[in-house]
Amino acid sequence: MDIAAPLRLRVDRDALRSNWQALDRLSGTAACGAAVKANGYGLGASLVAETLAGAGCRDFFVANWAEALALAPLGLTVSVLHGLRAEDLPAARVGVARPVLNSPEQVARWRDGGGGRCDVMVDTGINRLGVSVQAVGEGLLDGLEIDTLLSHLACADEDVPMNAAQQRAFAGLAGRTSARRMSLANSAGIGLGADYHFDLTRPGLALYGGVPRPDMAGHLRQVGIPEAQILQRRRVPAGETVGYNATWTAPAETEVAIINLGYADGYRRALSNKGAAVVDGLELPVLGRVSMDLIAVDVTALPDLGEGDWLAMAYDLAEASALSGVSQYELLTGLGQRFARG
């Protein structure tokens, strides 16, 4: 039996397209790809990828082979950032995506498994995934059929010397492998300027309306809008409290809507007494603690709202992050599976 969900995550496809187009322009002569890992940063990988492909995006990045196989019906060019475990070889040989080889062991595994087109990640300082610059110089990648040589910036959202050091290390690899393209910049890296763009940029957060650097804010629009149904409307007398630990007290008689949304859905407890719903531009404050499955909202100003009506939550990522102290990435990817997406 299909039961309509009392939660939905509305995806503004026009905003998603607009963000990619803005990032494509900011990328200059470089192609602009898209990171659609973690289920399209929580918004739905197939929906996101199909929308961006329609806008002109041609390069997509996922974390693992299960994510790549989920996108296979779309027939896109996909790279798997976590590379190639022994367990991944059967999926990799299907040909739906390229591995991004990250270690000498993965390079050997790919060669021993028959080789073919691949991508390679080089570590230029983040000390996470990637082969070393030294190993590249010593011939580790010789003979590989490399489409794209990648590296990843550690601090692109900050103006620190490490950015330029990584850029120089990566630029020094030009012409030293068979790679036809080089790719360094993530969302924030695009904002660092043309020296960081190389041949292909790989935005993630910014595609979805996150603001990786303050100077990029004017280019990006909110994409994901959480919406939830009102379960009950109630009147709270002056002096009474709402929610766990009685953290909000009604200063006057207040009309309160109880909403089908909570921290189990990714609406963070840190937004208690700080978040808001929005109706026609009017902000309706969250009252008291966010609980596992419920929140309370002041609807005194809207007497016609009642049980079954839907409320959109104020969820601009940069603003919600500033209010809650939670990173924009976590606010987005943490939105739970109880949301209907579309």
Side-chain angles (χ1 to χ4, degrees), residues 234-238 248 250-256 287 297-300:
R234 61 187 310 123
R235 181 171 294 126
V236 178
W248 181 85
E253 186 173 86
T254 306
E255 292 288 324
V256 175
L287 307 177
V297 171
D298 184 347
V299 292
T300 308

Side-chain angles (χ1 to χ4, degrees), residues 113-179:
R117 290 182 73 205
C118 62
D119 298 335
V120 175
M121 177 71 71
V122 180
D123 175 32
T124 55
I126 194 171
N127 279 305
R128 211 171 54 167
L129 294 178
V131 302
S132 70
V133 173
Q134 179 180 347
V136 175
E138 293 172 350
L140 174 67
L141 308 182
D142 291 356
L144 283 181
E145 187 183 350
I146 303 172
D147 185 281
T148 308
L149 193 70
L150 302 88
S151 191
H152 196 68
L153 293 162
C155 306
D157 55 344
E158 304 174 288
D159 292 319
V160 295
M162 188 175 183
N163 292 328
Q166 286 194 262
Q167 191 277 343
R168 287 192 299 271
F170 192 57
L173 296 175
R176 297 178 64 183
T177 73
S178 63

